Amino acid sequence: MNKKTMNGEKINVDGVNEEKNNGKGINENKPNIGFLNGNIITMDPEIENAEAIIIQNDRIVDVGSKGILESYPHLELIDLKGQTLMPAFIDAHHHLSFGCLLQKGANLRGILEKDDVLQKIKNYVLDHPGTGWVTAYPWMDVHQGGSEITREDLDSLNIDRPVLLIHHSFHKSVANSLALELAGINSATEDPRCGMIVRNEEQNPTGLLIECAQIPLFKLSMESKNENNPENYADLIEKHASELLPFGITAIQDPGVTPTAEAAYRILADEGRLPVSVLMMPHGEAMLDNQEINFFEGPVTGTGDEWLRVGPVKLFADGGVAGSMAFSGKIEGQVCKFGEERDDFEDKLIEATKRGFRVCVHSIGNAATEATLDSFEKAASVARENFEIRPRLEHLFLLSEDQIKRLSAMGGCSAVQACFLEGSQGLKEIQFEGLNWFRFKDMTKEGVILAGSSDAPGGFMDGRDPLKSAVMGSKMSDNTGNILFPDQALSFEKWLWMYTAGAAYAGGLENERGMLKKGLIADMVILEGDLNPEEPLSVVETWKNGKKVYKKETVFSKNKN
């Protein structure tokens, strides 16, 4: 075999020319591609490091020593030149379908002062005339160094349009008077289940809406941003999904897919336009809505293909802001309780399990986690024979040792976010007896499978970059130089595993992706630099289904056609 190499580029060997696959079917004549001369990290415990890997069309067909190359007479080679080849990243908790709608409003990232926030909204309206809803995101309140804002503040802008200011967490918002009127919220409106309409001394709404009180406004405002048009919604999702390729991300798990979002995703899948693979987690008619989940007659968890698949049902056990996250324990001998776990998720969890769905539960506080573990234990008693429940709990900020052991005994897993360390400095001052924050290492030691994720676009920072998050997690750094809870640090390599094999397991996709292993999808990333969090790597190329879809500043094909 006449081996030729060209500085990381695919070249012709033995006179075989590349044939692109321009249809949805597999082109059987497409030559094999071999990768060698690099640091190949497989994430496969059976072959942790390899010298060469062979792909054919969209699959990995061989992994091993350089000797495997001799078995493939018609082969194109890519000389890695010492660079790292590993599975592409999977963001196990990424609100793509909801987040892309938020990006259509006023961008408040990095803006903290009230006057600056209001001016940004005013400028957005001037630049985007019309009559529809105005959304602004992400709002940082005083807990993040920002400002408290009321209905009166928004009304002072004299905008004759409904305005909704959405917190970075999605778990509270502020509406102007017109938005409240359109949603039917006034002094006589009762608080919804698992939500609060904040009121002044005269019992009039201040505009601040907590948790499920936002649902009517989410429905109205998001409908005005193309959600009611599946084709336009699909275009928007495609655009924002394409932005993930430079990060080396080729698959996401979307925790909160409404029926309208599912329709948009299916348009993209049917037309071969999905830039990344998507695991859809069925949810209600709007974000945070546990009760309006009409999934019972739909396809169950696992249905689909490697581009679009149904994942676990998404439920919420508590909230995401002060007062709605459910913490409970002793501080200096005194019993302290903050927030309440939701009372509307257990029935849905049990019903979903009966019908063959796995379930993923948002659970930040330890009180919510206790209730969630109890619910999964009840669900286990009604599950179908041989059905693996695989409990999945998201976030898990505060845990006891007993809760970690219970989750491990159930075969549970969790999608966690190192990027949430930013903005969490104050938690060091809140010390519960027998409870600890961000117990990444403790969970790993006990056998709980952790998945890396961003919760994008939520959070204090843009957490989409897995490499940056892996650095933060390996140092337990808040991204500003402060080290939090150093005893819970995991290695940089472990965080890379969490963004690949760990994330695949959390989504039930371990037999499809997450490792460089024979038979799995050829989703890969080439990195330059050393595996050193002090001098982190950068993405050179991203490969999706055996095709190069990104190379430093150049996007090639972004779909499966």
Side-chain angles (χ1 to χ4, degrees):
M1 177 169 54
N2 180 25
K3 296 182 181 179
K4 300 180 182 179
T5 60
M6 184 184 297
N7 193 27
E9 288 299 316
K10 191 160 49 178
I11 62 173
N12 175 269
V13 177
D14 289 345
V16 178
N17 294 318
E18 178 183 14
E19 294 183 33
K20 293 184 178 180
N21 172 25
N22 292 315
K24 292 186 178 181
I26 293 177
N27 183 349
E28 298 296 343
N29 296 320
K30 184 177 179 182
N32 298 316
I33 302 173
F35 298 78
L36 75 165
N37 295 335
N39 178 27
I40 300 177
I41 303 174
T42 67
M43 301 299 176
D44 180 0
E46 296 180 2
I47 309 178
E48 293 185 359
N49 293 286
E51 294 180 323
I53 179 172
I54 311 294
I55 66 173
Q56 168 72 32
N57 297 310
D58 63 348
R59 299 282 167 170
I60 298 167
V61 296
D62 215 343
V63 181
S65 68
K66 288 184 180 179
I68 65 175
L69 300 174
E70 302 298 331
S71 300
Y72 299 88
H74 302 297
L75 184 66
E76 293 182 349
L77 293 179
I78 291 181
D79 185 347
L80 295 168
K81 293 293 185 180
Q83 295 173 327
T84 294
L85 176 71
M86 62 175 286
F89 300 122
I90 304 166
D91 191 335
H93 192 111
H94 187 116
H95 292 277
L96 178 60
S97 59
F98 183 66
C100 70
L101 297 170
L102 298 179
Q103 308 305 315
K104 292 198 71 177
N107 183 358
L108 302 180
R109 183 74 67 183
I111 300 176
L112 300 176
E113 297 297 327
K114 178 190 291 189
D115 289 345
D116 294 335
V117 169
L118 297 177
Q119 188 62 50
K120 186 75 172 183
I121 295 172
K122 188 172 184 178
N123 291 343
Y124 175 84
V125 172
L126 291 174
D127 293 338
H128 300 81
T131 59
W133 281 72
V134 176
T135 57
Y137 175 86
W139 162 47
M140 303 290 180
D141 62 19
V142 293
H143 298 287
Q144 295 86 43
S147 306
E148 296 300 329
I149 295 178
T150 67
R151 178 187 68 181
E152 286 76 14
D153 294 321
L154 297 178
D155 288 348
S156 70
L157 296 174
N158 295 316
I159 297 172
D160 190 23
R161 295 167 65 179
V163 178
L164 186 64
L165 178 66
I166 303 174
H167 192 253
H168 74 86
S169 67
F170 323 138
H171 288 266
K172 69 178 182 180
S173 301
V174 179
N176 70 352
S177 294
L178 180 55
L180 292 174
E181 180 182 346
L182 291 174
I185 296 175
N186 53 49
S187 59
T189 307
E190 295 183 358
D191 286 348
R193 186 178 183 183
C194 303
M196 178 187 297
I197 302 168
V198 179
R199 307 165 196 272
N200 59 22
E201 293 181 356
E202 290 76 31
Q203 296 302 302
N204 293 316
T206 66
L208 181 59
L209 306 168
I210 309 294
E211 300 297 343
C212 291
Q214 304 171 96
I215 290 175
L217 291 97
F218 280 167
K219 289 180 178 179
L220 291 170
S221 63
M222 299 308 157
E223 284 173 0
S224 75
K225 296 184 178 299
N226 295 335
E227 190 183 69
N228 59 342
N229 184 322
E231 290 78 16
N232 290 341
Y233 195 8
D235 293 342
L236 194 60
I237 290 174
E238 180 183 18
K239 173 181 180 294
H240 287 275
S242 297
E243 296 174 0
L244 302 178
L245 299 175
F247 295 113
I249 297 170
T250 61
I252 64 109
Q253 298 168 17
D254 189 336
V257 176
T258 65
T260 309
E262 179 181 354
Y265 274 133
R266 293 201 180 279
I267 288 172
L268 293 173
D270 291 344
E271 296 178 0
R273 293 166 49 203
L274 275 173
V276 299
S277 296
V278 176
L279 185 75
M280 302 183 294
M281 300 190 195
H283 192 50
E285 297 291 334
M287 182 61 68
L288 308 178
D289 187 357
N290 281 346
Q291 287 302 301
E292 296 300 319
I293 300 181
N294 299 313
F295 55 79
F296 294 143
E297 303 306 322
V300 298
T301 301
T303 305
D305 61 19
E306 68 268 18
W307 283 95
L308 187 66
R309 195 178 295 281
V310 178
V313 170
K314 172 65 184 296
L315 298 170
F316 288 84
D318 67 349
V321 292
S324 68
M325 297 178 286
F327 301 113
S328 180
K330 289 185 177 181
I331 300 177
E332 297 182 348
Q334 299 294 317
V335 176
C336 299
K337 186 174 178 63
F338 307 94
E340 294 283 346
E341 59 271 24
R342 290 179 60 158
D343 64 359
D344 66 343
F345 76 93
E346 182 176 272
D347 60 332
K348 293 294 183 180
L349 188 155
I350 293 173
E351 184 65 22
T353 303
K354 283 182 180 179
R355 293 177 178 266
F357 288 89
R358 286 179 177 164
V359 180
C360 167
V361 182
H362 165 112
S363 182
I364 289 181
N366 66 304
T369 297
E370 193 72 14
T372 302
L373 293 172
D374 290 345
S375 296
F376 272 118
E377 288 176 347
K378 293 176 183 177
S381 67
V382 299
R384 298 174 180 177
E385 186 176 0
N386 299 322
F387 177 67
E388 183 188 2
I389 294 177
R390 195 175 292 187
R392 176 168 169 172
L393 282 70
E394 308 295 82
H395 311 308
L396 297 180
F397 280 20
L398 186 69
L399 289 168
S400 68
E401 191 69 28
D402 178 67
Q403 289 174 334
I404 295 174
K405 291 181 182 296
R406 288 178 68 191
L407 181 57
S408 177
M410 293 179 188
C413 55
S414 177
V416 296
Q417 301 80 29
C419 56
F420 280 178
L421 292 168
E422 179 164 340
S424 296
Q425 300 93 326
L427 297 181
K428 293 176 65 175
E429 308 304 319
I430 306 175
Q431 299 182 15
F432 287 92
E433 297 174 14
L435 301 166
N436 290 292
W437 300 101
F438 296 107
R439 300 185 71 167
F440 302 144
K441 192 168 190 177
D442 292 341
M443 284 192 281
T444 298
K445 283 184 176 180
E446 198 61 42
V448 176
I449 300 297
L450 299 185
S453 64
S454 67
D455 201 21
F460 306 100
M461 59 178 280
D462 182 350
R464 291 177 297 172
D465 186 352
L467 292 172
K468 186 173 184 178
S469 288
V471 170
M472 292 176 67
S474 68
K475 298 179 179 181
M476 293 302 286
S477 165
D478 69 352
N479 201 37
T480 63
N482 298 311
I483 303 299
L484 312 179
F485 319 111
D487 60 317
Q488 296 301 318
L490 295 168
S491 69
F492 182 66
E493 292 84 351
K494 182 63 176 180
W495 274 95
L496 296 182
W497 181 91
M498 290 159 58
Y499 266 102
T500 52
Y505 180 87
L509 306 173
E510 64 271 22
N511 295 318
E512 176 179 288
R513 63 182 71 248
M515 294 182 284
L516 301 184
K517 184 175 182 177
K518 185 176 180 178
L520 300 195
I521 296 295
D523 279 12
M524 306 172 294
V525 64
I526 298 176
L527 308 172
E528 60 181 355
D530 298 325
L531 294 180
N532 179 0
E534 300 301 330
E535 298 178 6
L537 302 89
S538 61
V539 175
V540 176
E541 293 179 7
T542 303
W543 288 66
K544 178 81 185 97
N545 280 59
K547 298 171 66 176
K548 187 192 301 182
V549 292
Y550 168 80
K551 180 182 177 181
K552 272 201 173 178
E553 315 220 349
T554 302
V555 175
F556 293 77
S557 170
K558 64 180 180 180
N559 57 47
K560 64 180 178 180
N561 291 334

